[in-house]
Amino acid sequence: MRPVFKLFAYALSSLLLALPAAAQEQDAIFADYNAMRSEMDRLIQRRNIQDLMLRFGGADEMTIQQLDNLDAQVDRLYPDDFQNVAVIRRVTLENGFSQELLAYWTGYSYLYAYVFYHDRGDEVISINFRFNSDFATLSGLF
């Protein structure tokens, strides 16, 4: 891994791992799985980090300045929108709970996203969402 990506991975994981998992906002509720994934894919592929964090529950844990800094970091490290997305790992748990690890990439630039969600039948709730440039950081959540 290139040094700049290691630094980014460390800073990002420190910030995101420090966010309280218990905080849940109304914004993280979706009509169904496809609606959740569509929103997540659109925001990540366009590198719209502020809206991504606001939509998936990071807004109340981060200041506007932290969101601005995170958005600027992502723009510096990933100057181009992501063209591809794939589910790397999906674990279906009991009673509608699931977790997924996804990869987004363009050329040789990869970003990974983790989402733990609950499909309640009439809605899907994103309970925990994280992203990182280091695969091992998010893969370890399984």
Side-chain angles (χ1 to χ4, degrees):
M1 186 183 305
R2 293 183 287 200
V4 70
F5 284 113
K6 282 185 181 180
L7 178 62
F8 173 70
Y10 175 76
L12 184 60
S13 66
S14 296
L15 175 64
L16 293 181
L17 291 175
L19 297 178
Q24 183 64 51
E25 288 199 5
Q26 199 70 1
D27 290 345
I29 297 174
F30 301 87
D32 56 27
Y33 172 82
N34 290 334
M36 179 187 72
R37 275 294 308 281
S38 176
E39 187 77 6
M40 183 173 26
D41 291 349
R42 181 181 66 80
L43 293 171
I44 292 175
Q45 286 181 296
R46 293 181 183 170
R47 300 167 298 116
N48 192 337
I49 302 307
Q50 288 185 352
D51 287 346
L52 176 70
M53 295 307 294
L54 293 171
R55 182 69 172 111
F56 282 83
D60 59 340
E61 294 94 3
M62 298 177 76
T63 67
I64 295 298
Q65 183 177 5
Q66 289 173 318
L67 284 169
D68 287 341
N69 290 340
L70 184 58
D71 195 49
Q73 272 187 307
V74 170
D75 281 346
R76 278 191 307 274
L77 293 172
Y78 301 99
D80 300 314
D81 287 350
F82 295 105
Q83 298 172 351
N84 306 286
V85 61
V87 174
I88 298 172
R89 182 179 298 154
R90 177 181 295 132
V91 176
T92 303
L93 305 166
E94 300 294 322
N95 301 306
F97 290 93
S98 296
Q99 59 182 3
E100 290 184 3
L101 179 60
L102 300 99
Y104 296 84
W105 73 95
T106 293
Y108 298 105
S109 295
Y110 290 85
L111 182 74
Y112 304 96
Y114 169 87
V115 63
F116 174 67
Y117 61 93
H118 186 207
D119 186 339
R120 298 167 47 135
D122 60 339
E123 62 190 6
V124 170
I125 301 171
S126 170
I127 297 170
N128 187 283
F129 173 81
R130 302 171 188 202
F131 69 95
N132 204 299
S133 61
D134 181 33
F135 171 79
T137 299
L138 297 180
S139 181
L141 296 172
F142 285 82

